[in-house]
Amino acid sequence: GVHQEDMEAIRQMRVWSRRSRAALDIFGVCFAEKPYTALAKEVKAVTRALGTARDLDVMGGRLAVMQGELPPEQQSGLAYAIETLLEQRQQAQPAVIQALEHLTQFDLMSRWKALQVLPAHALKTKRARSASRPQLLTPTDTLVVNGARVLLLRIEGLLSYAPSLTDAKRVPEHHEMRIAAKRLRYTLEIFKEAFEAHPCSEVLSDLLQDVRALQEYLGDIHDADVLVPQLVAPMRQLLETGYGALPSGELPVGTERVDFSGLLGLLSVCKSSSAWREQRFGELQLFWNTLTESHRLEQVQTALESIGKGDN
């Protein structure tokens, strides 16, 4: 479906590439390093190639809905913006096809099945990772203890961005928090079965629901942050087409050289997207305050710390 630019196929493949990356990042210590690293890099390359295409698909679909909500006389500017996005999407497709062809040649599934699982003594002596990419698993511990350790790391990563929720203008940090929430969600889902019979299972299930809600808030905020800048270029182009400098160097004159109604439609979408972001950010702050005041995250951390120490 990705070859035919099927939006749902692209969405699903990108999601599963991210899930694969989350698992690969955790369990790398269990396998021979060089072939495992090559496999992880291949999955990462596919994720990146699909990312651009997916983002353009989402923006194009969102703009198409917004276009239908505008008065007919204001839809032309948005139609031009959608056309620009479609051109960008077509330009992105060759990179997607190239990544898929490379993935096919790489033969990911066969390489995965052929990976060498290291014996315990090799795991213990394997080269230590850097501080930024610590070794997440310890071979002498149970899967539950290892899972608790990884989850703690993911929760700490999420909490490191909590100060940014006091300021709506800290856009890059909101985006990074969204990524951290995804990592925590995928990790919770990866270890869910391991914790099913554990007393901590219920609190982890509640945490998963909270993280999904958090991811939804941050996703809506990110969509607005990405969408509005995409509309600036079409607005500029419409103005420059009508009122750019003439070859003679004279200033253009007249009131009908630009589709002002279309520009008004573009501005209306920018304004409504900005208002939507402001609303969702306010809701996110309330949601986060509820999490903080209920001490739910602290309770989960305390339970995981106890498991990580072997007190389970």
Side-chain angles (χ1 to χ4, degrees), residues 27-259:
F27 295 101
V29 69
C30 302
F31 300 90
E33 188 165 1
K34 286 187 177 180
Y36 192 87
T37 300
L39 191 149
K41 285 183 177 179
E42 188 67 23
V43 175
K44 185 176 182 179
V46 173
T47 305
R48 285 182 174 177
L50 293 171
T52 299
R54 173 60 183 162
D55 289 345
L56 291 169
D57 282 342
V58 170
M59 285 187 284
R62 189 175 294 273
L63 287 180
V65 172
M66 291 180 168
Q67 183 184 21
E69 297 171 348
L70 290 173
E73 67 274 10
Q74 293 184 11
Q75 294 183 9
S76 55
L78 209 52
Y80 176 66
I82 293 172
E83 182 181 344
T84 301
L85 282 178
L86 288 175
E87 291 176 359
Q88 293 178 26
R89 176 63 183 86
Q90 291 173 356
Q91 293 168 4
Q93 185 64 8
V96 173
I97 298 300
Q98 183 179 5
L100 289 180
E101 290 176 350
H102 194 278
L103 183 67
T104 301
Q105 295 170 3
F106 186 82
D107 198 0
L108 182 67
M109 187 58 70
S110 294
R111 291 197 184 216
W112 169 252
K113 292 178 179 178
L115 280 177
Q116 176 191 1
V117 181
L118 297 177
H121 68 84
L123 290 175
K124 295 176 184 177
T125 59
K126 190 175 181 185
R127 179 172 56 85
R129 292 190 176 193
S130 64
S132 60
R133 293 181 60 80
Q135 181 170 309
L136 302 179
L137 306 184
T138 302
T140 54
D141 289 328
T142 66
L143 189 58
V144 168
V145 172
N146 276 305
R149 188 180 298 115
V150 179
L151 285 169
L152 272 172
L153 191 66
R154 295 289 185 254
I155 292 172
E156 289 168 4
L158 178 68
L159 290 173
S160 68
Y161 297 104
S164 70
L165 298 183
T166 61
D167 186 354
K169 295 180 180 180
R170 295 170 70 170
V171 174
E173 290 167 90
H174 301 154
H175 174 57
E176 291 299 325
M177 189 175 192
R178 174 173 169 258
I179 294 173
K182 282 186 178 181
R183 287 175 178 161
L184 175 54
R185 174 185 172 180
Y186 294 157
T187 304
L188 282 164
E189 291 170 346
I190 286 169
F191 286 98
K192 183 177 180 180
E193 187 175 345
F195 280 92
E196 278 184 353
H198 194 276
C200 195
S201 174
E202 186 174 346
V203 294
L204 290 180
S205 179
D206 291 341
L207 176 61
L208 179 57
Q209 297 303 316
D210 290 334
V211 172
R212 284 173 177 165
L214 179 64
Q215 190 179 335
E216 186 172 343
Y217 286 120
L218 291 166
D220 287 345
I221 290 167
H222 175 70
D223 287 346
D225 287 333
V226 173
L227 182 64
V228 171
Q230 280 285 340
L231 300 179
V232 173
M235 283 191 282
R236 184 188 300 116
Q237 290 165 4
L238 287 173
L239 285 170
E240 290 179 350
T241 299
Y243 289 107
L246 298 175
S248 62
E250 299 176 4
L251 292 175
V253 295
T255 61
E256 302 298 328
R257 300 177 69 94
V258 171
D259 178 10

